[in-house]
Amino acid sequence: MHDTGTGSTGSTAQPSRRTVLAATAGVTTALAAAWPARAAAVAPDDGELRRVVARMTLEEKVGQLFVTRVYGHSATAPDQADIDANLKEIGVRTAAELVARYRVGGIIYFAWAHNTREPHQIAGLSNGIQKASLELPRGLPVLITTDQEHGIVARVGRPATLFPGAMAVGAGGSRSDARALGRIAGAELRAMGIRQNYSPVADVNVNPANPVIGVRSFGADPRAVAALVAAEVAGYQGSGVAATAKHFPGHGDTDVDSHTGFPTIRHSREQWERLDLPPFRAAIAAGIDSIMTAHLMVPALDDSGDPATLSRPILTGILRERLGYDGVVVTDSLGMEGVRTKYGDDRVPVLALKAGVDQLLNPPDLDLAWNAVLTAVRDGELTEARLDESILRILRLKTRLGLFRAPYVSPGGVDRTVGVRAHLKAADRIADRTTTLLVNEGRLLPLSRLRHPRLLVAGADPASPSGTTGPPTGVLASALTGFGFTATAMPTGTAPSAATVARAVAAARDADAVVVLTYNVTAGSGQKTLVEQLVATGRPVVAVAVRNPYDVAHLPSVPACLATYSWTDVELRAVARVIAGRVKPRGKLPVAVRRADDPEQVLYPIGYGLTY
C-alpha cells in the first residue's frame, strides 16, 4: 500500500539530522562564498540570492522557471504504473530523476497523479523531492504546490480538513471565516510540505453560464469578493504558505471553459476596472505572493488576439507597471487549450516569459518547453538577464517561505496539524454560516421528526470532489438519520430517465417527506421533471441545490429550496443540520438569481436569504 521505507524513497519518516545535513550540502555549497561558516539553517539575504543566481548554469536557470507534474506517491520508488506514466509523458522514471534532469523549481501535486494518497505519504513525498534536489550540485529547495481551493476543487482529501468552497464562504460573508480557512488550510498544507497553494480564486462570477469558475468564485459583487480574497490571502500567508490569486485579469464573465477553448472577455476597460480588477488590487495590497494568469483574450486590454498569459501589455504593462506588483507571476496550466490555440507548445513558454511570467506551469511536453526556453536564450530571443529577474523572484519567495532554513517536514507535525479535531470543528462552524434558504412555503422547514420521520433522499449524485465520501445522497441521508430521521438514499443521477423518475416517485409515496438534490438544472433537464413529479405526489419536497444556486429559478413549484454551493461532506452535513432544525440558515446569496423565463429580471438579488 503506502511506502513506509526510508526518507530516500519518499517515505513518511522524518530525515535524520545526518540526512538533513547531507541534503543541505547543495545549498551550503552554492552559498559558500556568501555564507562562510554558516549552515543552510540561516535564510539568505537578497545579495546572497543574487550570488546564487550568478553561479547557476543556464540549464539550471531554465529549470528553475518550471513547475511540473510527476506521477507517483514516492520520490524514488513509485508504483510501476506511475513509472510508466512518467516515462511516457516526461521521459524520467521518478520525481528524483525529474529534478536531476531538468532542475525544476517546482512540482505540482494532483490526486490523479497519485501524489496525495494520505497526509503522511504526502509529507514523505515532499521530503523525498527536497532531498533529491538538495543533494544535487548547487541544489536548491523545490517549491511544492497544489490546487487546494476547497469546495469542488481539492487535491488533498480526507483525513485533511476540507472547507466549504469560495461561493459558500461568500454566502457566509465573513472575512474572519475566510481568514480562518486560509490559516488552518495553510497550516495543514505546510505540515505536508506543500508551500504554495493556487488559491484563492479572485474572479468575480457575474455570468451564471460560466462553465469553469461558477461556485469557485466568492460571488458577483466585486467589493465583497475583494474583501474575502484579501482575508484568505492573509490566512494562508500567515501560516507560511504562498497564496495565489487567480485568474488575472479575470475569468468571471465567460461562457467558455479555457481548459477546452479560448474565451474572450468583452468587458470595456471601464467595466474591467469596476468588475474584475478590485479583487486583484486587494490581493496585491494584502501582499499576495503569487498571481496566476488566465488563458483568455481581453481585447479592451490587448487587442493583439493573444491570451493574457502571453500578453506583455497585460502582464507587464498593467500588472507590473500600473498595479506595482513585483511578486511571482505563474501561468495557468500550459496544457490548457486556451493558451495553445494560437501558438505551438514550443512557442508558448518563450512568449509567456517575454510577456512577464516567472513560473511556467505544467507544460504538456516538458522536454519540448524546457529546450525551447534554452534555445531562445542561446539564440538571443530571451536574455539571461530576463531569466535572472524571474529566478530572483522565485528564490525570494522560497526564502520567505522558509525553504532554505527548513525544507523538510516531520511525521509529528502531520499528526499535530492535519485533520485534527479543532480544525474539523472549525470547518463545520464555517459551513453552518453558509447554507442559504431561498424558499420555505408554509414554513415547511425545519422538518419535524414527529411529522416527517421517514425521509427519501433522492436526486443528483455527481462524482464526489476529491477526498470526500459520497455519493451526496448517501452522505446527506446518513447525516439526517443521525438526527433521528429514518432516511433512505436513492441516487437518481444528473440526467434521470423516465424510468428512474418513476422509481423515485413510487418511493416517495412511502415517505413522509422528500429531500431532492439538484445539480445545475436546465429548462429541459430530467432533474426538473423529477422535482415536478415528486411535488405532484403531494409529499412535502425540499430541494437542495448542491452546486449553482441558479437551480431554484427552474423549480417554481418546489415548496422549499436550499443552496449549499458544493456537494462536499462538510456542506452536506451543514445542510442536514439546517433541515433538521439543529442550526438556522444564515447564508445570503453572493450572486443574483435571474428568472429562467426572463433573464433580464432578478428573481432573488445578491444578499437574499431566509431564516427561521
Side-chain angles (χ1 to χ4, degrees):
M1 295 293 290
H2 301 306
D3 184 7
T4 56
T6 65
S8 63
T9 60
S11 77
T12 61
Q14 183 182 15
S16 66
R17 176 175 173 79
R18 178 176 299 174
T19 302
V20 172
L21 289 174
T24 55
V27 174
T28 307
T29 300
L31 301 175
W35 279 358
R38 282 197 282 168
V42 180
D45 62 27
D46 214 57
E48 292 164 342
L49 291 178
R50 291 179 185 276
R51 286 189 282 275
V52 170
V53 175
R55 292 164 189 251
M56 294 169 70
T57 67
L58 177 57
E59 290 79 4
E60 290 166 0
K61 289 181 178 182
V62 170
Q64 196 65 204
L65 304 173
F66 284 93
V67 180
T68 188
R69 69 197 179 281
V70 67
Y71 290 86
H73 71 290
S74 161
T76 57
D79 295 339
Q80 186 60 48
D82 292 322
I83 292 174
D84 294 342
N86 284 329
L87 286 170
K88 179 180 178 181
E89 294 187 19
I90 315 173
V92 298
R93 292 168 53 86
T94 67
E97 290 182 13
L98 169 69
V99 297
R101 178 176 298 184
Y102 292 103
R103 305 300 288 262
V104 293
I107 287 178
I108 180 171
Y109 285 172
F110 291 106
W112 53 258
H114 310 136
N115 305 139
T116 57
R117 290 180 178 178
E118 55 87 16
H120 281 285
Q121 168 270 318
I122 297 169
L125 174 60
S126 300
N127 283 342
I129 289 169
Q130 298 295 1
K131 182 175 184 292
S133 183
L134 290 168
E135 287 184 335
L136 296 168
R138 298 171 302 282
L140 296 169
V142 176
L143 186 55
I144 296 171
T145 186
T146 198
D147 289 288
Q148 191 78 350
E149 296 175 13
H150 294 273
I152 69 171
V153 176
R155 311 304 186 195
V156 181
R158 297 170 65 248
T161 305
L162 294 173
F163 285 89
M167 192 170 285
V169 174
S174 168
R175 283 179 286 181
S176 63
D177 281 353
R179 189 177 301 109
L181 185 160
R183 175 178 55 80
I184 294 170
E188 294 199 5
L189 290 175
R190 186 180 175 94
M192 293 178 279
I194 299 169
R195 304 295 183 93
Q196 183 179 23
N197 189 20
Y198 295 143
S199 189
V201 171
D203 304 316
V204 180
N205 198 74
V206 296
N207 188 341
N210 194 321
V212 64
I213 304 301
V215 295
R216 297 166 61 198
S217 163
F218 287 109
D221 180 343
R223 291 180 62 185
V225 173
L228 294 172
V229 164
E232 198 166 294
V233 167
Y236 275 114
Q237 296 188 177
S239 288
V241 167
T244 307
K246 62 186 185 184
H247 308 79
F248 189 82
H251 210 313
D253 190 7
T254 175
D255 56 6
V256 175
D257 184 345
S258 53
H259 291 85
T260 56
F262 184 23
T264 299
I265 302 294
R266 299 293 181 185
H267 291 176
S268 67
R269 195 175 188 99
E270 185 278 329
Q271 286 176 311
W272 175 77
E273 293 192 357
R274 177 169 50 86
L275 293 173
D276 302 291
L277 177 58
F280 292 101
R281 194 190 292 278
I284 293 168
I288 188 81
D289 279 328
S290 54
I291 290 177
M292 179 179 284
T293 68
H295 301 327
L296 47 75
M297 180 169 52
V298 189
L301 305 182
D302 179 1
D303 61 4
S304 68
D306 287 343
T309 296
L310 309 182
S311 169
R312 186 169 179 84
I314 291 175
L315 298 187
T316 297
I318 295 176
L319 183 57
R320 294 284 191 211
E321 296 173 356
R322 181 184 161 194
L323 299 179
Y325 178 67
D326 194 39
V328 169
V329 174
V330 56
T331 71
D332 205 343
S333 170
L334 297 183
M336 294 167 59
E337 191 62 27
V339 79
R340 303 173 74 190
T341 56
K342 189 174 179 181
Y343 302 100
D345 291 337
D346 58 335
R347 294 298 300 154
V348 166
V350 175
L351 294 173
L353 290 169
K354 293 175 76 171
V357 158
D358 300 306
Q359 289 182 310
L360 301 162
L361 177 62
N362 208 21
D365 185 332
L366 176 62
D367 190 70
L368 178 70
W370 189 89
N371 277 293
V373 175
L374 189 68
T375 299
V377 177
R378 287 175 173 164
D379 290 350
E381 183 179 6
L382 285 170
T383 67
E384 201 164 340
R386 168 65 193 89
L387 268 58
D388 292 352
E389 292 176 15
S390 288
I391 294 165
L392 191 58
R393 289 192 189 101
I394 294 166
L395 295 184
R396 284 170 179 156
L397 177 55
K398 291 181 179 183
T399 301
R400 285 199 302 277
L401 297 175
L403 279 167
F404 284 95
R405 292 182 292 102
Y408 295 104
V409 293
S410 70
V414 172
D415 292 335
R416 289 189 299 272
T417 309
V418 181
V420 296
R421 181 179 295 272
H423 292 177
L424 297 173
K425 286 185 174 296
D428 282 335
R429 286 195 300 271
I430 291 172
D432 280 340
R433 293 187 274 272
T434 67
T435 305
T436 306
L437 178 60
L438 299 173
V439 179
N440 194 23
E441 295 177 1
R443 296 187 178 181
L444 173 58
L445 290 173
L447 295 180
S448 164
R449 287 178 297 167
L450 298 178
R451 294 193 304 274
H452 313 107
R454 297 172 303 164
L455 303 180
L456 173 68
V457 181
D461 54 349
S464 294
S466 297
T468 58
T469 51
T473 49
V475 174
L476 183 54
S478 177
L480 289 168
T481 297
F483 292 130
F485 297 92
T486 301
T488 302
M490 179 180 281
T492 52
T494 55
S497 65
T500 299
V501 171
R503 284 196 298 271
V505 167
R509 294 194 176 101
D510 293 327
D512 299 302
V514 179
V515 179
V516 57
L517 278 57
T518 66
Y519 179 97
N520 295 0
V521 177
T522 59
S525 167
Q527 294 182 65
K528 186 175 188 291
T529 302
L530 171 67
V531 174
E532 289 171 345
Q533 293 198 21
L534 288 171
V535 171
T537 66
R539 296 295 189 270
V541 176
V542 179
V544 179
V546 296
R547 186 163 180 165
N548 290 321
Y550 313 115
D551 288 5
V552 67
H554 295 281
L555 308 173
S557 65
V558 75
C561 186
L562 294 146
T564 66
Y565 310 98
S566 75
W567 59 104
T568 55
D569 297 355
V570 69
E571 287 289 3
L572 294 169
R573 291 194 305 266
V575 80
R577 291 190 288 272
V578 169
I579 292 171
R582 298 303 179 97
V583 299
K584 296 180 179 181
R586 296 172 59 182
K588 305 294 182 182
L589 277 175
V591 295
V593 175
R594 299 183 177 275
R595 292 177 60 101
D597 57 351
D598 184 3
E600 296 300 314
Q601 299 297 317
V602 173
L603 185 62
Y604 300 109
I606 292 175
Y608 180 87
L610 305 174
T611 190
Y612 40 79

